[in-house]
Amino acid sequence: QVQLVESGGGLVQAGGSLRVSCAASGRTFSRYVMGWFRQALGKEREFVAAISMSGGITAYSDSVKGRFTISRDSAKNTVYLQMNSLKPEDTAVYYCAVKTSRVIVTTPFYDYWGQGTQVTVSS
């Protein structure tokens, strides 16, 4: 089993920045992908960003490209999502997820999920 613990969410004004983190523990894998998804109230869960933990390859949704940056600390099995120029439409619960594959996918077919952290952007 893999446990994922997110931290760093909160309330920020539009145009501000936040960084959320996700630490993985438990079973380890030689190649895996860590991703961030978000779900706003009344909407489906959507892909935000992902990174391959071995090669560092990244992927972003069009809605966050250029504003968000995903990074990793493989030694700590931790992934970060730096969110800049935040907009009210970024308000959502942000979920960390692990896929036991070296291929990044943008659909929510990941193997393990965290509990989520709330990010609220006020206008």
Side-chain angles (χ1 to χ4, degrees):
Q1 277 287 22
V2 174
Q3 292 78 43
L4 301 175
V5 178
E6 300 108 332
S7 61
L11 173 65
V12 66
Q13 288 188 331
S17 298
L18 272 178
R19 188 177 82 157
V20 290
S21 304
C22 175
S25 62
R27 186 179 174 186
T28 59
F29 306 93
S30 59
R31 294 182 178 86
Y32 63 104
V33 169
M34 291 187 75
W36 288 97
F37 288 76
R38 67 187 182 187
Q39 188 165 18
L41 198 62
K43 296 188 177 180
E44 293 186 352
R45 192 167 297 190
E46 66 171 355
F47 172 77
V48 176
I51 187 167
S52 63
M53 296 301 281
S54 57
I57 296 171
T58 59
Y60 296 91
S61 69
D62 288 342
S63 62
V64 307
K65 199 173 295 182
R67 300 188 297 123
F68 292 10
T69 302
I70 190 170
S71 60
R72 79 201 195 281
D73 184 335
S74 298
K76 297 181 179 179
N77 293 324
T78 299
V79 66
Y80 308 94
L81 185 68
Q82 177 67 43
M83 303 181 288
N84 298 328
S85 302
L86 282 160
K87 305 175 181 179
E89 51 264 44
D90 294 317
T91 295
V93 177
Y94 282 69
Y95 295 93
C96 173
V98 164
K99 184 163 181 65
T100 55
S101 164
R102 57 182 171 182
V103 178
I104 291 177
V105 297
T106 60
T107 52
F109 298 115
Y110 280 56
D111 302 296
Y112 302 96
W113 291 86
Q115 293 299 308
T117 184
Q118 177 71 46
V119 171
T120 303
V121 184
S122 63
S123 58

